[in-house]
Amino acid sequence: MPPKISIWRHLKIGSFFDFISPIKINNASQFSSSSRAAFGGVKMKRVSSSTSPTLLAASKAAALERRRVPQRVGTLAVKKEMTAVYLPNGQRIPCTILQLDRVQVVAPKTKKEHGYWACQVGLGWKAPKNITKPMLGHYEKFGVAPKKTIKEFRVKDENGILAPGTIINADHFVEGQYVDIWATCKGKGFAGGMKRHGWAGQPASHGNSLTHRAMGSAGQSQGGGSRVYPGKRMAGRMGGHSKTIQHRQVLKVDQELGVVLINGPIPGPKGGIVSIQDTIHRPSPVVPEPHIVVSM
């Protein structure tokens, strides 16, 4: 066996530490434990390892740039009921009536202050005695009456921001355009498996003893690990959750009544609050400017 040769005794302590000393990059340590210090005070997730200002594909800033956001602000509406529209060829199309009740822009949100572009939109009216003092101060700051419901709608850039107090009417939408809708489904309470999941049930006779609507087995004993698998469909709370309906067409807009007719059904009960915004699957519609008649 050849003898072991050690180089430690041939190196001086000072020269060794000079050899392994970290290299300075932009007055920052390359081997620093802090990612911000290692790259000149810039967050590591937002830049590449070569200190380039280009956004990384996995960063939050790049994900925000890739996100498909509508150009225009959305609105709130009240679900009234369903009706039908007949085409000239006699075809009957079911639709839902949505009414815009005193919809106003409450407050804008800017990318500089909040990190993104958005508008708070309020619907209806609420007595000031039923609103907390912080919210009353919020409404007073922007000069808007207290609202029954407020919701935030994101927009792509500053061109979609509307001034506080701007009234959004039914003519905000154009007949024929497509919209995305958010609503809350009807709450059914605690429901059985047949109603909640549409099971056919067990046999009605031939030896079935009072288990016609029962769930049955919840899983294996030994082969499956003696446990119930996650996601197993059982009896439980049904409804009451938020639902998104994408790419629905606007069939008719009535400015006088303040209603919008949307193709097909919409989740939620009568009187429920519905959110409407331009769909992200098509370009923004071209809204014609209102024709103003000046009397002489």
Side-chain angles (χ1 to χ4, degrees):
M1 178 180 293
K4 296 181 179 180
I5 302 176
S6 177
I7 64 172
W8 294 100
R9 60 180 180 178
H10 300 286
L11 292 174
K12 295 181 180 180
I13 299 299
S15 62
F16 174 74
F17 284 104
D18 293 340
F19 173 75
I20 65 172
S21 62
I23 304 173
K24 301 292 183 177
I25 299 179
N26 295 333
N27 297 326
S29 174
Q30 181 185 4
F31 303 108
S32 172
S33 59
S34 173
S35 60
R36 183 182 291 270
F39 294 99
V42 183
K43 286 186 178 181
M44 186 176 178
K45 291 184 178 180
R46 294 181 177 272
V47 298
S48 63
S49 58
S50 61
T51 67
S52 172
T54 305
L55 291 175
L56 291 178
S59 65
K60 292 182 179 180
L64 186 62
E65 294 293 333
R66 292 194 304 269
R67 182 176 180 178
R68 291 187 293 182
V69 181
Q71 294 281 354
R72 305 192 308 154
V73 69
T75 182
L76 296 172
V78 179
K79 178 181 176 181
K80 288 299 182 180
E81 57 184 358
M82 289 197 67
T83 183
V85 174
Y86 290 87
L87 298 182
N89 59 0
Q91 182 182 0
R92 180 182 183 274
I93 301 179
C95 58
T96 306
I97 301 176
L98 302 179
Q99 186 176 24
L100 280 68
D101 180 20
R102 291 168 285 186
V103 181
Q104 283 182 286
V105 177
V106 177
K109 289 197 172 183
T110 61
K111 189 173 183 179
K112 181 179 180 181
E113 185 176 358
H114 303 92
Y116 57 93
W117 300 99
C119 280
Q120 282 185 353
V121 177
L123 173 137
W125 181 83
K126 195 172 184 180
K129 65 178 182 178
N130 297 329
I131 299 180
T132 60
K133 290 184 178 180
M135 286 304 301
L136 283 176
H138 180 70
Y139 290 123
E140 184 179 359
K141 176 182 177 182
F142 295 99
V144 181
K147 296 297 181 180
K148 179 181 178 180
T149 306
I150 61 173
K151 181 180 174 59
E152 185 177 291
F153 292 93
R154 286 199 177 188
V155 293
K156 190 172 184 60
D157 49 30
E158 65 275 9
N159 296 327
I161 299 296
L162 300 178
T166 303
I167 299 177
I168 301 178
N169 297 316
D171 57 358
H172 183 72
F173 300 99
V174 182
E175 295 183 3
Q177 78 163 104
Y178 289 83
V179 294
D180 294 338
I181 300 170
W182 300 267
T184 302
C185 298
K186 293 181 181 179
K188 303 294 184 178
F190 193 95
M194 292 181 64
K195 179 177 180 179
R196 191 183 185 198
H197 302 292
W199 294 340
Q202 298 188 31
S205 61
H206 296 289
N208 194 311
S209 301
L210 304 180
T211 56
H212 309 288
R213 300 179 65 89
M215 181 185 70
S217 174
Q220 312 93 309
S221 176
Q222 291 183 343
S226 300
R227 66 190 181 95
V228 179
Y229 287 165
K232 172 63 179 176
R233 296 190 297 176
M234 299 181 177
R237 183 178 178 182
M238 180 179 178
H241 58 275
S242 179
K243 184 70 175 179
T244 301
I245 306 295
Q246 291 187 329
H247 210 255
R248 284 290 178 88
Q249 189 175 19
V250 177
L251 298 180
K252 189 175 181 180
V253 175
D254 194 327
Q255 174 63 15
E256 295 182 1
L257 299 178
V259 298
V260 179
L261 273 63
I262 306 295
N263 184 12
I266 292 176
K270 293 181 180 179
I273 306 299
V274 178
S275 304
I276 320 170
Q277 195 171 12
D278 299 338
T279 181
I280 60 175
H281 301 287
R282 286 174 179 254
S284 299
V286 179
V287 181
E289 297 182 359
H291 182 65
I292 302 175
V293 179
V294 180
S295 59
M296 300 300 292

